Amino acid sequence: MQSTKIAPDTKTVWIDWDNSPHVPFFMPIAERFEEKGYRVETTARDCFQVCGLADLYKLKYKRIGKHYGKNKAMKVLGNLYRAMQLLPIAAKSKPSVALSHGSRAMIVAAYLLNIPTVVMMDYEFVQMIPFVHPALIIAPEVVAMDRAVKGKTRVAKYPGIKEDVYVPFFKPDGVIKDKLGLANDLIIVTIRPPATEAHYHNPEAEVLFKEAVKYLGAMDDVQMVILPRNEKKQGDFVKSQWPDWCHSKKIIIPEHVVDGLNLIWHSDLVISGGGTMNREAAALRVPVYSIFRGTIGAVDRYLAKEGRLTLIEKPEDVRRKIKVVHREKAKDPGQRDHTTLNRIVDAIEEAMNMKK
């Protein structure tokens, strides 16, 4: 995001990064608002490599709060505490709109300060905050938001999927192969474990994750890159479960945060227990297999119907459905359509003039 000279009476857009996928997603949105002459203030929750990814992209932000684990009571208390931490930041910057992709702490803080709130959503089964309703929900056209719409909340829709906002700006960089030690003659498989601390987690996904790693590990011509959601728990689990494969570099766990899109592009296929990496691969037309076992949302059903995503639903599907072959890679993805970005920015701009 480029810094520009801003007039004192300029409207401020407040963005909160609550999870790592929010960083690349909001980058072009923030840049578009800065180009329009708005001030952009960004806060970030220190968890799931959010800050590491922001540092990788050299972005400016205020680090506020952390993750409080999978215990439901601690989740609620943690969100309330972070909302209190956000209050003085927001009160000082006086934003015209609070923008997030489901940040509960931001929604509470903005509600208390009477700031119009815009919430991006692409999963219709997310748990909403009772009695606190955003001014606007923005979602893909394929997602019905009836469950989430309460009170005076309005809904705006955009074409495609949220990954269509930032994938058009992606440019491949082959340096990542050398940095990670990826072999040119092996089939590269990127794997993202399930989100075990999420409220929607189903333990069946962990069974599928282990089955996929064991299946691929038995193949001589395969090299896996596993991206733990947290180094301490999932990273240590992978190292303890498959120590020989980690030592021989059959399994690579990056030591630093990597550009997910770039890694996906240089992979032959992707297996993921989370929505964003699945959809990023689908947007880049890279073969992708979902081991997510929560309630399947409309976006994943849409991608599966189009043949851009394969759902792995039981252990035998790992061997039956996953095609472990080399992928022909073009020099450039060649997707430069900004329709989705433009539709979202226009909807947010309209929300700035809303009255609660």
Side-chain angles (χ1 to χ4, degrees):
M1 285 172 272
Q2 299 177 347
S3 59
T4 55
K5 192 172 182 179
I6 301 172
D9 59 346
T10 298
K11 288 184 177 181
T12 297
V13 177
W14 172 27
I15 298 174
D16 187 45
W17 299 327
D18 191 58
N19 202 349
S20 53
H22 305 165
V23 180
F25 172 69
F26 281 116
M27 279 175 59
I29 294 173
E31 289 175 357
R32 185 62 59 86
F33 275 110
E34 287 180 336
E35 290 169 0
K36 287 172 166 281
Y38 292 89
R39 179 189 292 107
V40 175
E41 294 283 348
T42 305
T43 49
R45 185 168 64 141
D46 191 8
C47 67
F48 306 133
Q49 301 179 322
V50 172
C51 296
L53 198 55
D55 293 339
L56 177 68
Y57 294 138
K58 297 181 172 57
L59 303 176
K60 292 182 179 180
Y61 61 93
K62 292 182 175 70
R63 189 188 309 248
I64 307 292
K66 62 178 183 178
H67 192 270
Y68 288 88
K70 63 189 301 182
N71 180 275
K72 290 184 178 180
M74 288 303 297
K75 279 179 180 287
V76 172
L77 292 174
N79 277 315
L80 290 174
Y81 180 62
R82 184 166 184 262
M84 298 304 105
Q85 291 177 296
L86 290 171
L87 278 175
I89 304 294
K92 183 178 180 180
S93 61
K94 296 181 175 60
S96 300
V97 68
L99 175 62
S100 76
H101 205 285
S103 168
R104 293 173 175 83
M106 169 187 259
I107 293 170
V108 172
Y111 174 80
L112 294 174
L113 293 173
N114 202 37
I115 301 167
T117 307
V118 176
V119 177
M120 309 289 301
M121 296 175 66
D122 63 349
Y123 184 60
E124 62 270 38
F125 301 108
V126 69
Q127 294 179 359
M128 300 295 290
I129 302 175
F131 312 115
V132 179
H133 311 305
L136 176 68
I137 291 174
I138 305 179
E141 291 174 346
V142 298
V143 178
M145 299 308 303
D146 299 346
R147 296 176 70 258
V149 178
K150 307 292 182 183
K152 296 181 180 179
T153 299
R154 295 197 310 110
V155 175
K157 295 294 188 77
Y158 59 84
I161 57 180
K162 86 172 190 297
E163 289 70 22
D164 292 332
V165 168
Y166 57 97
V167 165
F169 296 92
F170 168 66
K171 295 180 181 179
D173 183 356
V175 174
I176 192 172
K177 297 184 69 176
D178 294 331
K179 286 185 176 180
L180 293 179
L182 303 182
N184 290 322
D185 58 337
L186 296 180
I187 297 171
I188 306 301
V189 183
T190 290
I191 305 176
R192 181 74 157 167
T196 54
E197 295 183 343
H199 65 81
Y200 51 73
H201 174 61
N202 182 336
E204 291 178 14
E206 295 174 71
V207 175
L208 297 179
F209 167 66
K210 294 175 189 176
E211 189 68 21
V213 174
K214 287 190 292 184
Y215 173 57
L216 295 167
M219 300 180 181
D220 294 334
D221 58 348
V222 168
Q223 189 173 34
M224 293 171 274
V225 182
I226 298 182
L227 302 176
R229 293 174 183 274
N230 56 70
E231 182 63 29
K232 189 62 181 171
K233 292 182 180 180
Q234 288 188 339
D236 288 351
F237 170 79
V238 171
K239 292 173 185 176
S240 64
Q241 193 80 3
W242 300 288
D244 292 342
W245 290 345
C246 291
H247 180 72
S248 66
K249 301 297 182 183
K250 186 171 193 64
I251 290 178
I252 293 175
I253 300 176
E255 296 179 358
H256 305 287
V257 177
V258 299
D259 183 333
L261 283 181
N262 202 28
L263 178 57
I264 289 170
W265 180 253
H266 287 93
S267 301
D268 291 292
L269 62 140
V270 171
I271 300 171
S272 176
T276 296
M277 181 157 279
N278 285 337
R279 294 189 288 269
E280 286 177 337
L284 287 170
R285 304 290 173 171
V286 175
V288 55
Y289 302 87
S290 174
I291 55 173
F292 176 73
R293 294 303 298 136
T295 306
I296 305 299
V299 170
D300 282 2
R301 292 197 303 271
Y302 157 73
L303 292 173
K305 185 178 180 181
E306 286 204 334
R308 295 163 61 187
L309 171 73
T310 301
L311 299 174
I312 304 298
E313 300 172 295
K314 47 188 181 295
E316 50 265 39
D317 285 349
V318 171
R319 288 168 170 77
R320 187 167 62 89
K321 291 185 177 181
I322 297 178
K323 298 178 181 179
V324 189
V325 295
H326 282 289
R327 178 178 71 89
E328 288 294 328
K329 305 178 184 71
K331 291 183 178 180
D332 189 284
Q335 302 176 41
R336 297 291 180 258
D337 186 353
H338 301 302
T339 302
T340 302
L341 171 62
N342 295 336
R343 188 79 63 85
I344 288 172
V345 170
D346 289 345
I348 297 168
E349 208 163 13
E350 288 178 13
M352 292 188 200
N353 301 316
M354 291 180 185
K355 299 297 181 182
K356 296 188 72 173

